[in-house]
Amino acid sequence: VSFRIELTTPACPIKDMFEQKANDVVAALPWVQKVNVTMSAQPAKPVFMEEMPTGLKAVSNIIAVSSCKGGVGKSTVAVNLAYTLAGMGARVGIFDADVYGPSLPTMVSPENRLLQMVPETKSIIPTEYLGVKLVSFGFAGQGRAIMRGPMVSGVINQLLTTTEWGELDYLLIDMPPGTGDIQLTLCQVVPLTAAVIVTTPQKLAFIDVAKGVRMFSKLKVPCVAVIENMCHFDADGKRYYPFGKGSGSQVVQQFGIPYLFELPIRPALSASGDSGNPEVVNEPQGEVAKIFSDVGVCVVHQCAKLRQQVSTAVTYDKTIRAIRVKVPGSDKEFLLHPATVRRNDRSAQSVDEWTGEQKLQYTDVSEDIEPESIRPMGNYAVSITWPDGFSQ
């Protein structure tokens, strides 16, 4: 007996268990002599295909690694998390969004240290290191930028959206510090699947990180994990907390973020970043690699869960001719009559913007109208296309 199990992501942390269980269950059937299980994964594609720039149309999940505070270890986390996900079997890319101080060229050592451009399509070909695709302003032959904000936003937009990323399961964006133009541009140019927040134990870090979490909240980007960097070190059989405790757990408690991970102070972690070879690659069995493995499992699980929630939040049930709405974060759901939804449109085509007068009349919409398609728009809304071509 031969069959194939298709996973939602090639980085599924329990794929070996699935394969073993499936093998055992089928082999237990009395008439089965031999079992051949093939494991595969769904092709990479975003939930919000229509909103995606061309180069990103085959990228499944875009994850922001952010803190809004400089020097807390965002780039270290982004790079090590990327290589952890790659080690789990995923196709991964890293986009270094810091034009003023790009870190990626220091933290990885690709053979080709210059981005290439395809003259015909004006698209950028990312460089690669150990199977992970890389794009950074530091690989553009310019070093670091000295330019004003609006220009930087344009550069970031061009680097991210005109790159031919190809098929990726996860694209990690190493966000620059702050909550200004660049951060908002990044959040609005592409629909982010989730954010991972990096902080350190001090109160000072918490204040800035809180601003960042609020920014993601406003933009409807879920924060799935907090990584508290430089937490502690062990010496003389004791554990020391040189910067105090509590910033990470405070973020988790105040904002309801589900997971907290603590990274120790390790000279090797810092040295590996400076040497151009990530720590999880240098020491795949070490303590730091084990923590990043847990972070990787968390990110894979949360992204799969969020994609499922978004893609099934609003659907049309043909059998009962109703729009089915699942309330996020609960088991509740309710039904809406398609004609009622269409009649309640508040756009300029249905309601006069100046006078507030209703242009779309009750009788203009037939009782048995059915939506042609319903698709997600970011993490916060859906677009419904009706038979007359109207998109609501």
Side-chain angles (χ1 to χ4, degrees):
V1 174
S2 297
F3 58 93
R4 183 167 68 93
I5 296 180
E6 187 177 80
L7 303 165
T8 53
T9 167
C12 175
I14 50 173
K15 60 186 167 198
D16 295 340
M17 191 183 87
F18 277 151
E19 187 174 357
Q20 187 59 51
K21 285 268 175 78
N23 211 344
D24 295 347
V25 168
V26 178
L29 295 170
W31 47 273
V32 174
Q33 294 172 0
K34 189 179 173 211
V35 184
N36 177 30
V37 186
T38 308
M39 303 298 284
S40 70
Q42 287 175 357
K45 65 175 190 298
V47 177
F48 328 113
M49 185 72 86
E50 288 79 1
E51 294 178 52
M52 282 296 199
T54 311
L56 292 161
K57 281 199 185 293
V59 177
S60 287
N61 300 284
I62 302 177
I63 299 158
V65 179
S66 173
S67 80
C68 300
K69 178 83 181 155
V72 298
K74 283 183 305 297
S75 301
T76 301
V77 167
V79 168
N80 281 283
L81 179 56
Y83 282 93
T84 299
L85 291 167
M88 292 166 72
R91 294 158 296 182
V92 184
I94 308 173
F95 178 67
D96 180 359
D98 196 341
V99 168
Y100 293 122
S103 307
L104 207 53
T106 306
M107 304 195 78
V108 290
S109 312
E111 207 171 296
N112 181 10
R113 297 187 68 82
L114 274 180
L115 297 170
Q116 305 294 315
M117 183 178 263
V118 180
E120 297 80 35
T121 59
K122 294 281 193 290
S123 56
I124 297 164
I125 304 298
T127 186
E128 268 190 46
Y129 182 59
L130 302 177
V132 172
K133 293 182 178 178
L134 313 164
V135 170
S136 168
F137 190 72
F139 293 136
Q142 303 288 321
R144 290 156 191 255
I146 301 170
M147 57 178 84
R148 293 187 185 275
M151 280 180 71
V152 173
S153 295
V155 169
I156 292 280
N157 195 341
Q158 186 182 1
L159 278 174
L160 179 60
T161 59
T162 61
T163 295
E164 288 294 337
W165 290 102
E167 281 203 8
L168 290 182
D169 300 298
Y170 303 95
L171 173 60
L172 272 70
I173 299 184
D174 180 7
M175 301 278 278
T179 51
D181 271 358
I182 300 164
Q183 290 76 10
L184 291 171
T185 298
L186 282 165
C187 292
Q188 288 163 346
V189 164
V190 290
L192 297 173
T193 312
V196 172
I197 305 296
V198 184
T199 185
T200 52
Q202 304 98 312
K203 185 181 178 183
L204 200 58
F206 170 76
I207 293 164
D208 283 354
V209 167
K211 275 190 218 164
V213 176
R214 287 191 190 102
M215 174 188 76
F216 285 122
S217 175
K218 275 191 176 168
L219 295 163
K220 301 289 186 286
V221 176
C223 297
V224 295
V226 174
I227 297 173
E228 192 172 23
N229 193 17
M230 298 181 272
C231 274
H232 52 73
F233 65 90
D234 297 332
D236 313 323
K238 286 164 71 179
R239 179 156 284 185
Y240 295 91
Y241 294 85
F243 304 118
K245 287 183 186 180
S247 166
S249 53
Q250 203 176 341
V251 175
V252 167
Q253 285 160 14
Q254 186 163 329
F255 298 103
I257 298 169
Y259 296 97
L260 171 65
F261 300 92
E262 294 186 348
L263 277 175
I265 297 170
R266 285 280 180 281
L269 183 57
S270 172
S272 64
D274 294 342
S275 71
N277 218 26
E279 173 70 0
V280 297
V281 175
N282 282 343
E283 288 285 340
Q285 303 304 319
E287 184 194 1
V288 168
K290 169 79 179 69
I291 295 165
F292 274 108
S293 175
D294 293 343
V295 178
V297 169
C298 164
V299 166
V300 167
H301 176 239
Q302 292 294 312
C303 285
K305 192 169 142 188
L306 288 164
R307 280 173 69 88
Q308 178 68 12
Q309 274 180 3
V310 168
S311 57
T312 60
V314 183
T315 52
Y316 181 61
D317 190 331
K318 273 186 179 297
T319 54
I320 55 171
R321 299 172 77 93
I323 294 171
R324 197 181 283 277
V325 182
K326 289 183 182 172
V327 181
S330 82
D331 296 330
K332 292 179 186 170
E333 67 170 31
F334 57 88
L335 303 173
L336 293 170
H337 189 246
T340 306
V341 173
R342 179 73 177 85
R343 286 173 185 139
N344 276 279
D345 177 56
R346 310 307 297 157
S347 71
Q349 280 178 272
S350 304
V351 180
D352 190 294
E353 287 184 277
W354 297 103
T355 63
E357 185 190 341
Q358 189 73 32
K359 292 199 288 190
L360 178 75
Q361 299 305 314
Y362 190 94
T363 50
D364 295 343
V365 179
S366 69
E367 275 301 313
D368 58 356
I369 192 169
E370 293 185 84
E372 284 198 342
S373 71
I374 299 179
R375 56 185 173 81
M377 298 283 290
N379 289 323
Y380 56 88
V382 291
S383 169
I384 303 175
T385 305
W386 299 99
D388 59 1
F390 179 69
S391 182
Q392 182 179 358

